[in-house]
Amino acid sequence: MPPLKITDVKVILTEIGGNHLTNVKVLTSEPGLYGIGCGTHAERPIIVAETIDKFLKPLAVGRNVDEIEQIWQTAWIAPYWRASVDANNAMSAIDGALWDIMGKRAGMPVYALMGGKVREGIRMFGNAGGRSLQDLEDNVRRLQQDGYQHVRINPVGGGGDGGAGGGRGAGGRGGRGAAQGGPGGLPVSQGGGGFGARGTDAAYITGLVSALDHLRKTVGWDIELCHDVHERPHPAGALTLAKAVEQYRPFFMEDLFAPEDAAWHQHVREQCSTAIAMGELFVNQNEWLPLVANRWIDFIRMHISAAGGLNLARKVAHCCEFFGVRTAWHGPANVSPVGHAVNLHLDLSLYNFGIGEGGNFPDEIKELFPGVPEIRKAVRYSNDLPGLGVDIDEKVAARYPLKTPGSNRGARDTEGAPRRP
């Protein structure tokens, strides 16, 4: 293929369904050929956009579009201080767009550039909550009827965070994900506390154990159940939780600890066999590599754009394969369909795929992003178009400008002290 140059990088910011999305369109010297990427950091979209416009666009324009690795490595060291989540999201947006362009030039889906399909589609988990144990059970059974074999549950009453449990859904937390349009945090002016008040470790652990016990007695043992701990307990409480739920054979417990408490994973592995998923907040290799190499986790849950994009994620996934760690990329409502397409193309081509996260998209998202991947019977499929297969309609995007600069995340205990979100 003849060399092509990057001629422009356009940032497209939208706010839709309460979510702030950051996408880019990378234009080339071939008329009509461009790529779409995702760099969504929902809490700080303006910082990501400014990083792209003021720093990465000047770095990228004029370079050959096929030099994906060189551009990625150059962008990685450009701020000097590496692994900033904002810089990572910015470089992820351009990186994904370059992979999209390469696929379009070759006339091949991105998964084909990475070795081809290992599977025809990727199985997704659904989400179930409830205001009572019976409500929770009913929601799990409805998801089973929809084809779901994996369900992430919340304890009755919202998981010990002071809020009511969500219903059922295929999207984000508590069944309020991309398909339901649930917002991801509080406005900047409110200063955080997006998941409400956090109760005691004991109350939280008791609620989750009661939910798992009820579901195993009623729904049975053939369905895979998992849960997002989301750093709720203190580290000692999280260790108690992992041991308490072991008897119910969960598919995984997610984010038992904060990244800064990662050493606690060794104690979990020494004391129980509960499967652990970790990585939503990881932004550099020193956070995940020891956990993988020591086999202290079972699933890698990175938010791909926050870690640096597709180019890095494929390396992480191949490293994980050698240690028996499977992928379960973060895929909530505040990831654009382009980001979900990146997750999909990776997982289609990876042997060590574990499970996918995300729901079918509402009509306004489908209008904004033509070509969004679809879920049928709990399995997400590619449209097999060249590149990532997802476009963005700039005329539609103009109808959804940012209304707010982003949001703050956080939680509080019952006395008002800040807690991790």
Side-chain angles (χ1 to χ4, degrees), residues 289-311:
L289 191 55
L291 302 183
V292 170
N294 286 293
R295 297 178 172 88
W296 292 340
I297 63 172
D298 303 275
F299 296 87
I300 189 75
R301 278 282 286 160
M302 278 182 174
H303 187 108
I304 287 178
S305 66
L310 188 158
N311 200 43

Side-chain angles (χ1 to χ4, degrees), residues 98-340:
L98 294 179
W99 280 96
D100 190 31
I101 290 168
M102 179 174 282
K104 289 174 178 176
R105 293 190 76 196
M108 301 165 63
V110 167
Y111 64 73
L113 301 177
M114 296 187 288
K117 284 183 179 179
V118 177
R119 56 191 56 80
E120 288 303 312
I122 64 169
R123 185 157 289 280
M124 313 294 285
F125 66 71
N127 288 280
R131 297 182 181 276
S132 68
L133 290 174
Q134 186 61 55
D135 193 19
L136 173 63
E137 176 191 338
D138 291 344
N139 287 327
V140 170
R141 291 188 185 279
R142 291 189 188 102
L143 283 167
Q144 283 185 296
Q145 293 171 2
D146 292 339
Y148 284 89
Q149 301 173 1
H150 303 72
V151 178
R152 187 172 67 177
I153 68 163
N154 272 333
V156 169
D161 61 4
R168 70 179 182 100
R173 190 166 318 283
R176 296 189 308 156
Q180 291 79 26
L186 290 182
V188 172
S189 61
Q190 295 184 31
F195 291 130
R198 294 278 169 86
T200 64
D201 290 357
Y204 168 60
I205 294 168
T206 299
L208 181 59
V209 169
S210 296
L212 287 167
D213 186 70
H214 177 82
L215 292 173
R216 287 307 187 202
K217 289 177 179 177
T218 55
V219 179
W221 294 86
D222 292 338
I223 188 169
E224 298 280 14
L225 299 174
C226 55
H227 173 68
D228 186 359
V229 180
H230 223 283
E231 313 167 36
R232 284 179 178 90
H234 298 86
L239 177 58
T240 299
L241 172 65
K243 294 166 65 176
V245 302
E246 180 182 18
Q247 62 183 309
Y248 301 108
R249 298 205 312 255
F251 185 65
F252 62 62
M253 289 286 111
E254 177 184 346
D255 288 356
L256 270 175
F257 307 107
E260 54 268 32
D261 295 323
W264 281 83
H265 286 93
Q266 180 178 359
H267 299 293
V268 173
R269 192 59 99 215
E270 290 170 348
Q271 298 187 40
C272 70
S273 62
T274 300
I276 304 300
M278 183 65 183
E280 178 178 329
L281 296 181
F282 287 171
V283 295
N284 78 71
Q285 68 188 50
N286 291 316
E287 294 170 318
W288 61 266
L289 191 55
L291 302 183
V292 170
N294 286 293
R295 297 178 172 88
W296 292 340
I297 63 172
D298 303 275
F299 296 87
I300 189 75
R301 278 282 286 160
M302 278 182 174
H303 187 108
I304 287 178
S305 66
L310 188 158
N311 200 43
L312 179 72
R314 66 191 180 95
K315 299 174 186 179
V316 173
H318 290 314
C319 178
C320 287
E321 179 184 344
F322 296 135
F323 295 95
V325 175
R326 291 182 280 174
T327 64
W329 310 116
H330 193 224
N334 54 19
V335 173
S336 81
V338 181
H340 282 281

